[in-house]
Amino acid sequence: MFGDCLRGLHMRAVLKLGGSLLYDDTGQILTDRVRAYAKVVNSFVEDGHSMVVVVGGGKPARLFIAAARELGASEAQCDWLGIKIARNNAELLCAALGNIAYPKIVETLDELETAICPGNVVLMGGLTPGQSTNAVAALAAETVQADMLLNATNVDGIYDRDPKETGAKKLDNVTVDELSQILSGTGTRAGEYKLFDPVAIRVVGRSRIPTVIFNGNDPENLLRIVKGENVGSRIVHEPDK
Ligand code: UTP
């Protein structure tokens, strides 16, 4: 599917980088991982393509949200903590990317439209309460009419049930309806959104955004997907009726 895009002149991709990929179990920042992502992103855009990278909140977002909730914060206040921490995580990648990155973490979709141009990388964290950074990535992909949305997470793809359950099977292709079904009943409180929240699913579905969910522990997977290799799970869209 994406191999064909490579033959186009200028490709636009959105990468969602799960915050969990940037921290170890003790909460230390994995600077080598940030550097490795800067390298693969750079090799994607150096041919004149452009990329929006939306970075998630990860462990620090969950820690701050849990503490704030215990201290009496509202869900919206907790969400704002996650939004800001995701933006701080995006600053780390911005630092590693150097001058190919738009120098400011973009905070609105309006700003995104003016920031994106061939050969550059635009970074985002959170946008607005009530959603996750997966929704930000889907909205960014819709806004820039991205050729692909690549979702780097810490699992190999979409499973037919909780991947921790015995017998769970990874799906190579999944429709938006199947994805909604599989993820129904997952959390909707600050810090608890799972792979795809309802906003992300709706936006990917309505704009038929070609999407791949893959294991981001190996940053090279990003380049494999762009070359058309079969990695992770693809969200497929039914042909128009
Ligand atoms: P995420 O849950 O999206 O971070 O954002 P994450 O680390 O990427 O998640 P994984 O690791 O991929 O699963 C952290 C929190 O920030 C708030 C939400 O509370 C979210 O749980 N947030 C983020 C918003 O409220 N709005 C946004 O637009 C983005």
Side-chain angles (χ1 to χ4, degrees), residues 16 18-20 56-58 62 79 82-83 126-129 131 133 136 190-191 193:
K16 157 69 206 296
S20 57
R62 273 165 250 293
D79 274 341
I83 290 166
L127 264 186
T128 186
Q131 60 179 34
T133 47
V136 177
Y193 301 103

Side-chain angles (χ1 to χ4, degrees), residues 15 150-153 155-156 212-216 221-222 225 231-232:
L15 169 67
L150 306 171
N151 195 305
T153 179
V155 289
D156 285 336
V212 181
I213 291 130
F214 68 100
N215 194 326
N221 274 340
L222 172 72
I225 295 167
V231 178

Side-chain angles (χ1 to χ4, degrees), residues 59-71:
K59 201 175 177 75
R62 273 165 250 293
L63 279 175
F64 270 78
I65 288 169
R69 190 177 280 131
E70 188 197 316
L71 294 167

